[in-house]
Amino acid sequence: MISGPSSGVTTLADGKYSIQVAPGTKLTFQYIGYKPVEYLVPQGKTSVTYNLEMQSDAQTLDDVVVIAYGVRKKGSITGSVSTVKAEKFADTPTAAFDQALQGQAPGLSVISNSGEPSKAAVFQIRGTNSINSGTSPLFILDGVPIESSDFNAINPGDIESITVLKDASSTSIYGARAANGVVVITTKRGHSMDQAQVAFRAQYGFSQLARAKWNMMNTAERIRFEKEVGLDAGQDYDVLSRTDVNWLDAVFNDSAPLQSYEVSVNRATENLNYYVSGGFYDAEGIAQSSSFRRYTLRANTDAKVAKWLKMGTNTMLTYEEAEQADEGEPALSSPIFACRLMLPYWNPYREDGSIASQGDGSWTGTGVNPLEYMANNPVKNKKYKLISTIYGEVTPVENLTIRAQLGVDFSHSTGFGQSYPSYIINNGDGSAGRSSTDILNLTETTTINYRLNINGDHDFNFMVGQEGVDYTSEGFQVWTAGQTNDHLTNVSSGTRASSWNDVTTSYAYLSFFGRAEYNYRNRYYADFSVRADASSRFGRNNRWAGFWSLGLMWNARQERFLQNVDWLTNAQVAFSTGTSGNSSIPNFDHLALVSGGPNYDGSAGTYPSQSGNESLTWEKTWSTNLALRLGFFDRANLEVEFYNKKTTDMLMLVPESYGVTGEGQYWDNIGAMVNRGVEINVNGDVFRTKNFVWNLNANVSYNRNKLTELYGGVTEYVNSTTGLKYQVGHEVGEYFFNRFAGVNPANGDALWYTKDGEITTEYREEDKVMTGKSYNTPWMGGFGTTLSWKGISLSAQFSWMADRWVFNNDRYFEENNGNYSGYNQSKRLLYDRWKQPGDVTDIPRYGVVAQQDDRFLENSSFIRLKNLTISYSFPKELLRKTRFLSAVRIYLQGQNLLTFTDFTGLDPEYAGNVYIGQYPATRQYTMGIDITF
């Protein structure tokens, strides 16, 4: 292009070009991913031939950042944006990319809520902004909004980058659903210019428990405990002592295999750009009856069909099969929960290794054998997923671009569950159920973009757009009973329908938006955006809401007084403020509704089921951000950001009399809350030579939440059975408990503090207080390092969270001192309980049952070695001799290798407030190979 004005020519596919310019003109040759080359056209010649070779520049690629409805150079963005490139998650051994993001972006909380292979992580950006409404970010895949439950449908190897938009300047243009931030997922395009590039990737490994901390009694300890507390009546310990089962090993597999294979083809020419891939992923879960298998196809294509017209598509097709283990419920039929309570002398297996059964007496335990229960009650799920966009981009005149895009997100999900009639507790009467759900989400977006440059100093960019979303879901579920044959346990072979249900729901959004951007000599930047949104989830008179943002940035490095300061390679100050909205509530809860189903004397009846609220409207968040970005010696970068977010008109389920509709609650706009925080991000090359690079990175985030207003003058509201209380002036996630004061050394009684701080032996509801401890973590971050020498690379990435508290409900069952003594208990009841006067302990004497007080409230802070990878890339000079290989890389990696925490449960990484029977995180060891042809 001609330096200065934005005009120039494009080369042909073979690199040939021609351009007519005046002598003395400076030409700049540019291509994304390569360093620019400048050439001054000599004087006195009418024709000049200039051949050049461009050098690769990976940093240029890093500078291109995906934002809302477009891309920008990183140094020109006023808002708060963090980008994670493909290399950070391309090798992840998990089904989805989400866990690889943990600790990678400041302000982004990613918690792997379950070790289930098919379960998605829980995301939050800069704290929680709501009580009952959605707190998850808006996820955008190639322009289409998706749900986090669909993450496992996306092959991580197909992703080019993930951009986290955090402040108003970045998110407000999305308006609807953007109050909790936006995560933009961009998939790969073609980048091989000279010929098609074929890449193959294979990975194989296994999973096991990430943290096998086990504190339950073995057989010898259990027998001793029973004798001490008087549970030995009728027990034959000569027989029982011959069996000693570690139920952790019985339930969890320490070598669950996983495998992944991918192949892709890509190419980029002047008129055609394509990326096509296929993948297969298969993983067994470490818990019984959990597995995940996925087949993926992707085709991304851009075609320049005329000088003024460009068309393209991003299409993904996925098929999944999944089994999910029972978790999160205190049921003895769920192996994950039951493994803690099964006695060590109850063997779940026969001598031949088959599962022990109640039917033939080989199971000697109380109640069901949880392994037998799961084997006789299988549930299998299948899912077909299609996400596709097609777009057309017209450039009728220079610098004016009109783009129209249609996105389709369709899924068909089925479930099939069985309970075999031969299972003894079914007494010859089996059951079977099927479910089916179809979801269609259509998104259409039209934008008009115009760029303008005045005198080479003033750059303007204007965009207006319109967007619509139409979501529909239809599904049914039916269970039949009466089956008498294990091989014919299907819905159609039942004699009666035991339950049935069908659901149809829908919602829609309509939006209009605009953005204006200004840049003066790459020194001063400003942008302003507005958006109007309408949501069908609100009444006719309150559907529309307006959102806006303002962003300013000063690039001080371009000032004359810093031109000669060579050690300072970047200096920017940015400010933004603006609003965004949230409408994450059920689709028709603003309506007063009646429902059918009740049986009145043999006839179907109706009843008032929902009171509704036609005054319901958008929850709004006003966010302000101040950022400082510095670069030193062209190798180190520091970013510091401060933010303040205030949410008003919060959407909350407000209590009401059950006499109104029987619900006991209804949706209303109430109250306000504030989130304030700071984020620090540091990265740089500590040492860098031609053959060796040592890079370090670290980020830390702090967020403090405070509830500032509730509803109707109410200043506090107890959220019953959760251990939480919403109180003005406190955090939303703060616990409300009785405070355990220990054990009386004289007699072994349990002690508590009264509300006023005095010690009492009586457990009373009126003595509960706010504990100052929350399940929303205020501190989090990550740090890591990469060392590269020639073709060898070693990288390690850690993630951490601090001052986060969880109520460990598992301990309530295993340290209850009498209530559940018929089942196994923690070793602490044997070694640490009060036994005689003078004992100082926190476990009362046997027979004093536990209460749900803050004794079971645990600090779940942790530091985790999230990923460790060592790889070797073969020398390109050697590969050239093969004439068909262009790159070969082999690697070994471990995921979740080390965990440092004081949490006594199996896994500290849990997003909720009550930890009970959770599927723990897994550790993976894998080896892989990448080959490029």
Side-chain angles (χ1 to χ4, degrees), residues 527-548:
D527 64 58
F528 178 74
S529 67
V530 292
R531 178 162 177 141
D533 281 301
S535 171
S536 63
R537 289 171 171 161
F538 304 123
R540 185 182 303 274
N541 298 327
N542 296 284
R543 286 178 179 166
W544 286 94
F547 308 101
W548 60 271

Side-chain angles (χ1 to χ4, degrees), residues 16-39:
K16 293 181 179 179
Y17 70 97
S18 64
I19 187 171
Q20 293 183 348
V21 295
T25 302
K26 181 187 290 185
L27 299 179
T28 303
F29 298 84
Q30 293 180 324
Y31 189 80
I32 292 179
Y34 293 84
K35 295 179 180 180
V37 176
E38 291 187 346
Y39 174 69

Side-chain angles (χ1 to χ4, degrees), residues 1-8 398-399 453 459:
M1 62 180 290
I2 302 172
S3 297
S6 56
S7 61
E398 186 177 7
N399 296 328
N453 181 274
D459 278 316

